[in-house]
Amino acid sequence: MKFYFPDSQDQIDPSFPFESEVRSPLRVRQRDDRYAHEFLKPPPYEGLLVSKAMIDGNGGAGRYSAQQRQRFFREGVREFFRLDQSAGPRIETLGDCGAFGYIDEPLPPYSTDQVIDFYEQARFDAGVSVDHVIPVFDDDVDSSWKDRYTLTLGLAEEFLDRHRERDCRFEPVGVAQGWSAATYANAVGHLQKLGYERIAIGGLVPLKTDEILRVLAAIDEIRHPHTKLHLFGVTRCEHVPRFKGHGVTSFDSTSPFRRAFKDGTDNYYVLDRAFVALRVPQVEGNAKLQARIGAGEIDQGKARKLEQEALAALRAFDRGKESLEKALEKLCDYQDLHDEGHARHEQYRETLADAPWRECKCNVCSSAGIEVVLFRGSERNKRRGFHNLHVFAQRLAQELQPQDTALAAA
């Protein structure tokens, strides 16, 4: 079972100075910053998923600059992401269209040949056919969603035909979309008849785990033994062994990374739970706080003073020079100013009391110390996301180990 991490330009600056927060003027972001597979040993994923929408955009500008885009195609996906410089097993590359990015459009913004050009020029290991997400899961749907189903299968047929005609080097992956367990199974059956041996199951992100398992059980009825399934956007680490039993060989998700700064409580992973991050926003970098300062609700000088006192107390606590209670007091003084109505005092106490970053041996925690649990700016937040990927990889290995051991014994 392989975990793919979707690219979203998530890197960290190894030279970032936490105390001054002033970057080197010589830093060049993509050249000098590091991806998770470069910073963490071993890399926390076996594959990298890169979307055409991320590189090229959906009919407009993508997330990459014109210079980055040109270099991506010139160097190819492996060299651009420096995948072969990481120790350990080879990190595979998978390209897709980024269908959730155009979910509200009547038709996909790309032609089959445009997508094949993208995969071939960047030299991906595998590439996914053009699809259109069906964002409903109900036995009774209107005709517009059924049209997307028919369109996705038609595009998959065209994709495979053009792949053969052009003698493409990458592995073709067909996409199954559906609105019920039966329609997903029918789609997989159709793709197998076309000749696909690897099939990605799309549109599963909003589904509950039992619904996903119903879909996989229905697919089991028609799935060939050699057909490999990929789940788009699905994590559910504790259910991965069950997914594997249904022929799933790979999946992708940003969830472990995004929870570091998108979740209200589960920001820092350990193997059996998660801790809340300590919110110490930059006075000048927090839009909500700046708005309140501008409206005269908060004195800017007071805010800066409380911010710096909180940072100093937390760093002193990490060095063993300050008590937990004093650090918590300074943290909560600032919390009460910038985040009224969100009392996290006891959660903060738990994070400080356990000090989980001290026990973690990953490169992030070893180099950043308490900074990794501070909810403050992208450099700390992304480092925490990298740490979460490290722990997620350990969790995944633990979940799969009993099943792998049983298979080996058999």
Side-chain angles (χ1 to χ4, degrees), residues 21 27 94 96 102 132 176 262 321 362 382-383 397:
E21 300 184 331
R27 166 190 175 247
L94 175 65
D96 81 338
Y102 53 82
H132 215 3
K262 293 290 188 181
K321 302 295 184 181
C362 80
K382 287 187 175 184
R383 274 173 169 76

Side-chain angles (χ1 to χ4, degrees), residues 68-84:
Q68 288 175 326
R69 182 181 180 279
Q70 290 168 6
R71 188 160 60 81
F72 174 79
F73 287 116
R74 183 176 66 252
E75 296 179 347
V77 62
R78 301 199 65 80
E79 185 175 343
F80 183 86
F81 287 102
R82 301 186 288 271
L83 293 173
D84 295 323

Side-chain angles (χ1 to χ4, degrees), residues 49-203:
L49 173 66
V50 182
S51 294
K52 180 173 171 60
M54 181 65 62
I55 304 293
D56 291 336
N58 296 329
R63 292 279 296 275
Y64 281 67
S65 68
Q67 292 80 7
Q68 288 175 326
R69 182 181 180 279
Q70 290 168 6
R71 188 160 60 81
F72 174 79
F73 287 116
R74 183 176 66 252
E75 296 179 347
V77 62
R78 301 199 65 80
E79 185 175 343
F80 183 86
F81 287 102
R82 301 186 288 271
L83 293 173
D84 295 323
Q85 297 180 24
S86 300
R90 183 179 187 273
I91 296 175
E92 298 178 1
T93 58
L94 175 65
D96 81 338
C97 299
F100 268 102
Y102 53 82
I103 191 171
D104 295 326
E105 300 299 323
L107 294 170
Y110 314 121
S111 71
T112 292
D113 274 308
Q114 286 175 325
V115 170
I116 289 178
D117 288 343
F118 174 68
Y119 300 152
E120 282 285 276
Q121 289 174 27
R123 303 185 287 282
F124 280 92
D125 294 317
V128 178
S129 61
V130 187
D131 65 319
H132 215 3
V133 176
I134 301 173
V136 292
F137 193 74
D138 192 326
D139 289 332
D140 184 22
V141 299
D142 62 41
S143 60
S144 63
W145 304 131
K146 294 179 181 179
D147 290 343
R148 291 191 177 201
Y149 176 86
T150 303
L151 174 67
T152 295
L153 290 178
L155 289 169
E157 182 172 3
E158 180 183 54
F159 185 80
L160 197 55
D161 287 342
R162 294 296 292 143
H163 183 278
R164 291 164 176 159
E165 290 167 5
R166 295 177 57 170
D167 194 24
C168 296
R169 295 165 294 181
F170 66 88
E171 178 188 12
V173 182
V175 184
Q177 294 284 353
W179 62 85
S180 65
T183 54
Y184 272 109
N186 289 338
V188 170
H190 184 82
L191 292 168
Q192 288 181 143
K193 288 178 182 177
L194 292 176
Y196 282 102
E197 297 185 351
R198 188 176 181 187
I199 298 171
I201 314 299

Side-chain angles (χ1 to χ4, degrees), residues 319-335:
R319 296 192 301 269
K321 302 295 184 181
E322 187 60 273
S323 69
L324 185 156
E325 293 302 326
K326 190 65 175 180
L328 181 64
E329 176 189 338
K330 293 298 183 181
L331 174 63
C332 292
D333 284 347
Y334 188 39
Q335 152 97 33

Side-chain angles (χ1 to χ4, degrees), residues 141-315:
V141 299
D142 62 41
S143 60
S144 63
W145 304 131
K146 294 179 181 179
D147 290 343
R148 291 191 177 201
Y149 176 86
T150 303
L151 174 67
T152 295
L153 290 178
L155 289 169
E157 182 172 3
E158 180 183 54
F159 185 80
L160 197 55
D161 287 342
R162 294 296 292 143
H163 183 278
R164 291 164 176 159
E165 290 167 5
R166 295 177 57 170
D167 194 24
C168 296
R169 295 165 294 181
F170 66 88
E171 178 188 12
V173 182
V175 184
Q177 294 284 353
W179 62 85
S180 65
T183 54
Y184 272 109
N186 289 338
V188 170
H190 184 82
L191 292 168
Q192 288 181 143
K193 288 178 182 177
L194 292 176
Y196 282 102
E197 297 185 351
R198 188 176 181 187
I199 298 171
I201 314 299
L204 300 178
V205 173
L207 270 60
K208 297 176 182 177
T209 299
D210 67 309
E211 293 173 329
I212 295 173
L213 290 170
R214 274 166 45 202
V215 168
L216 293 175
I219 291 173
D220 273 347
E221 298 297 319
I222 52 83
R223 179 174 55 83
H224 298 162
H226 60 269
T227 298
K228 297 176 289 186
L229 301 180
H230 177 92
L231 301 185
F232 273 134
V234 175
T235 314
R236 325 288 169 90
C237 190
E238 67 277 17
H239 297 288
V240 163
R242 297 181 69 183
F243 295 159
K244 184 177 180 180
H246 288 291
V248 177
T249 59
S250 59
F251 66 99
D252 67 85
S253 177
T254 59
S255 181
F257 179 81
R258 297 293 173 199
R259 282 185 173 235
F261 46 89
K262 293 290 188 181
D263 198 275
T265 56
D266 295 346
N267 306 129
Y268 179 96
Y269 283 14
V270 294
L271 279 175
D272 58 350
R273 57 163 299 180
F275 289 89
V276 70
L278 311 176
R279 285 151 171 80
V280 190
Q282 297 147 314
V283 171
E284 281 75 20
N286 185 278
K288 181 180 176 182
L289 190 53
Q290 281 295 299
R292 294 183 65 194
I293 290 171
E297 298 176 21
I298 295 177
D299 178 75
Q300 185 166 7
K302 179 182 178 182
R304 284 177 175 166
K305 180 174 181 292
L306 291 177
E307 173 196 9
Q308 293 306 311
E309 288 179 349
L311 288 171
L314 290 168
R315 288 165 178 159

Side-chain angles (χ1 to χ4, degrees), residues 328-380:
L328 181 64
E329 176 189 338
K330 293 298 183 181
L331 174 63
C332 292
D333 284 347
Y334 188 39
Q335 152 97 33
D336 294 342
L337 178 77
H338 71 77
D339 200 15
E340 289 180 326
H342 293 85
R344 295 187 173 92
H345 297 194
E346 291 308 310
Q347 293 172 313
Y348 287 165
R349 180 189 297 277
E350 193 172 27
T351 299
L352 290 170
D354 280 72
W357 65 91
R358 292 175 178 166
E359 303 300 320
C360 181
K361 304 303 181 185
C362 80
N363 287 0
V364 171
C365 296
S366 299
S367 60
I370 197 172
E371 305 289 343
V372 73
V373 294
L374 300 191
F375 202 118
R376 177 185 174 83
S378 65
E379 284 297 336
R380 293 173 179 83

